[in-house]
Amino acid sequence: STQSTWDIRGRRRGELMSLQQRKIHFYFLNELLHLIFVFVLLSYNPFADWMPSFPHIVTNIVAYVVFSLLNFAGVLMVLCVRRSFRRRSIPIPAGLRDKPRFPLPKFNESFHEMRDGVNLRIRVAPSARKDPKVMLLAAPLGLCGPSVYNPIMYWYGDEYTYVTWDYRGFFGSDVPYRLRRVSIPEHAQDAVEVLNACGFKRADVMVGHSMGVAVSLETVLLFPDAVGSLILINGFHGHVFQTAFQPLVRIPFFGDAVEKFVELLLGLYGALLPPSSTSTSSTGASQRGRSDSAPPTTPPLLLKVWDLVRPVLQPCAATCLYAYSRIWGSPLMREVEGPGYFLRFLEGYTGRLFSSAHDARMFLFLFQELDAHSVWHLLPTITQPVLLISGFFDFVTPAMVSLEMSRRMPHSVHYCDPFSSHVSLLESPENCLAEIDHFLAHSVASAQ
């Protein structure tokens, strides 16, 4: 009786939170508050009295920075309180903090020729059960393999057959003849063809992280009968430059600056990648040389500067990755996979940016594609149950974007983890798996 009462209270609390999420446009709210504060600063600035020797513009900047930090801290406190209530209604499953329930599944690799002749490398981890469910894993941009989903596979084991693939243009898959063939709709069509090539007509669950979220959304929009439900982690709907590195408010012209910076990097890496008529992938699969693969023109002086700076970037990046892994690594995952698990993941995630000019150029081009692409206007048409997970300290794909997406999808639930960044599943596996387990057991089951 007590448990039933508590469940009812938990549901009511969840409905109230869902209502608040759907009725309040948080980006708009924050931007409105910041705009009002800027107008207040024009008429009155308390820091001007405390810092009389500094120019007025300096005191205005200091006041605005302090206000932004207080705004950030206030939202963080709200998320922490909300998580404490959420864990009461959706507790962390018993045994999750113990050793993994299952070992990581073994993936079998093969190649399959797509509709346009491009060969993709496919990975399948078959289940030993008679009638297993199917989980389709869409990788983030730049990651080779499904290691970002290890906590899910540790928890569910052979309950699912896991299917994933290397995106066209990356790693073991072929490079299409035209760059336009590396668009998000092409990846979505690949997802369904890969699923069919493995002998499945439908995935019970499709999981996407970062770019994998864009691919997952496009997949259910193009092939709604091919996917039963969605789990979207640290993702976005498109136009990624317009919100990247802007966690609470969108800064005017910042998206344009990011776009120009990526374009500059693409020119530098493009100059290091000479065009070729044919090439061969590391697996021996034929790759068609692109007729539009000629590198963009880059000023000679800039190339000389790049040649001087590039050798310094890799050790600097290694230091940053080590610090990042120490700050955001999960104690639970350190026990399961060793102290250096997160650093190994980050090195695999970003290492090819420095070791392979081709992979770096494709990485940057896909960044441009993710900014050009959007399904914002189609989100209300998605009828599948959707779980969105975001990290409050994720500055690459801010949590506000997931919140806005949740507001537009009719059967969605959003969980923002207050103490994780862009890889929430590996940084806070207990809380993420609690949400996933509850979602698959209740939301998906009730929808079926």
Side-chain angles (χ1 to χ4, degrees):
S1 174
T2 304
Q3 182 64 36
S4 300
T5 304
W6 180 251
D7 287 343
I8 293 170
R9 288 175 180 173
R11 283 199 299 273
R12 287 175 179 170
R13 188 183 301 112
E15 290 168 2
L16 177 61
M17 292 176 180
S18 176
L19 177 66
Q20 291 172 344
Q21 284 187 1
R22 293 182 185 282
K23 295 300 181 184
I24 300 176
H25 190 314
F26 273 79
Y27 255 136
F28 171 78
L29 179 63
N30 279 315
E31 286 165 358
L32 180 62
L33 289 174
H34 280 248
L35 185 63
I36 292 172
F37 186 74
V38 167
F39 279 113
V40 170
L41 283 179
L42 294 176
S43 58
Y44 172 70
N45 181 2
F47 284 85
D49 299 330
W50 303 337
M51 306 166 64
S53 59
F54 288 88
H56 192 65
I57 188 171
V58 173
T59 58
N60 278 349
I61 292 173
V62 170
Y64 183 74
V65 169
V66 170
F67 173 77
S68 299
L69 292 175
L70 290 174
N71 183 201
F72 191 86
V75 176
L76 179 61
M77 288 177 61
V78 171
L79 288 174
C80 290
V81 172
R82 187 168 183 267
R83 186 176 73 169
S84 67
F85 282 109
R86 198 173 179 96
R87 285 293 76 87
R88 293 179 186 179
S89 55
I90 306 176
I92 293 174
L96 198 151
R97 289 195 174 98
D98 302 333
K99 64 180 182 179
R101 293 204 301 176
F102 299 95
L104 286 178
K106 183 180 179 181
F107 282 85
N108 302 321
E109 295 186 0
S110 62
F111 288 86
H112 182 74
E113 186 173 329
M114 297 292 113
R115 60 205 168 277
D116 56 354
V118 173
N119 286 303
L120 298 189
R121 179 163 66 180
I122 299 173
R123 296 180 177 87
V124 184
S127 171
R129 299 191 183 188
K130 276 188 176 181
D131 191 19
K133 292 175 282 189
V134 178
M135 185 176 288
L136 184 61
L137 306 174
L141 175 59
L143 181 66
C144 183
S147 59
V148 71
Y149 302 117
N150 280 0
I152 292 176
M153 294 185 284
Y154 279 132
W155 183 247
Y156 290 103
D158 64 354
E159 185 176 336
Y160 289 89
T161 288
Y162 303 97
V163 179
T164 187
W165 75 103
D166 286 351
Y167 293 132
R168 52 177 55 218
F170 283 93
F171 311 122
S173 295
D174 288 359
V175 182
Y177 184 72
R178 296 288 183 188
L179 277 176
R180 192 61 197 148
R181 291 286 189 179
V182 195
S183 64
I184 300 302
E186 294 285 346
H187 292 306
Q189 291 184 61
D190 288 344
V192 174
E193 285 194 39
V194 165
L195 197 61
N196 294 338
C198 296
F200 306 106
K201 293 183 178 180
R202 183 176 183 270
D204 296 276
V205 186
M206 185 170 185
V207 189
H209 174 268
S210 193
M211 172 182 157
V213 170
V215 174
S216 300
L217 290 171
E218 189 71 27
T219 302
V220 297
L221 288 168
L222 290 175
F223 309 97
D225 296 331
V227 178
S229 59
L230 289 173
I231 298 174
L232 309 177
I233 307 171
N234 301 112
F236 51 91
H237 60 83
H239 296 325
V240 67
F241 294 163
Q242 307 311 310
T243 54
F245 311 109
Q246 303 163 78
L248 292 180
V249 296
R250 288 166 290 197
I251 303 169
F253 311 114
F254 190 85
D256 297 328
V258 174
E259 178 187 352
K260 291 299 180 185
F261 180 68
V262 171
E263 202 170 280
L264 172 65
L265 289 179
L266 188 60
L268 292 170
Y269 273 113
L272 300 174
L273 180 65
S276 58
S277 57
T278 57
S279 60
T280 305
S281 70
S282 58
T283 61
S286 169
Q287 290 185 317
R288 293 161 177 78
R290 297 185 301 274
S291 61
D292 56 357
S293 63
T297 303
T298 307
L301 179 60
L302 196 57
L303 287 178
K304 290 182 181 179
V305 173
W306 175 244
D307 288 337
L308 293 173
V309 172
R310 190 161 57 95
V312 183
L313 287 179
Q314 192 160 2
C316 289
T319 303
C320 292
L321 292 180
Y322 176 77
Y324 189 93
S325 69
R326 296 298 299 172
I327 294 170
W328 295 111
S330 160
L332 175 62
M333 289 299 293
R334 288 191 180 111
E335 291 180 12
V336 173
E337 295 190 347
Y341 88 98
F342 201 33
L343 181 59
R344 290 193 300 271
F345 168 81
L346 293 172
E347 288 173 343
Y349 201 171
T350 61
R352 288 177 178 265
L353 288 176
F354 299 97
S355 61
S356 168
H358 165 75
D359 287 340
R361 186 167 182 242
M362 292 301 298
F363 184 95
L364 294 168
F365 173 76
L366 257 296
F367 251 138
Q368 291 182 318
E369 172 65 24
L370 293 174
D371 184 55
H373 174 80
S374 179
V375 294
W376 172 258
H377 57 302
L378 296 173
L379 292 178
T381 68
I382 295 176
T383 58
Q384 286 87 347
V386 181
L387 170 64
L388 296 106
I389 295 175
S390 60
F392 186 60
F393 284 87
D394 182 357
F395 290 177
V396 180
T397 55
M400 289 293 176
V401 179
S402 292
L403 183 56
E404 290 182 339
M405 290 165 60
S406 177
R407 289 177 60 252
R408 290 181 64 81
M409 289 187 280
H411 306 294
S412 64
V413 179
H414 172 231
Y415 168 68
C416 179
D417 188 80
F419 297 110
S420 64
S421 62
H422 189 54
V423 199
S424 295
L425 187 58
L426 291 181
E427 297 166 358
S428 183
E430 306 97 321
N431 289 288
C432 291
L433 283 174
E435 297 293 330
I436 292 171
D437 199 57
H438 182 269
F439 171 74
L440 294 178
H442 295 83
S443 301
V444 174
S446 62
Q448 291 172 347

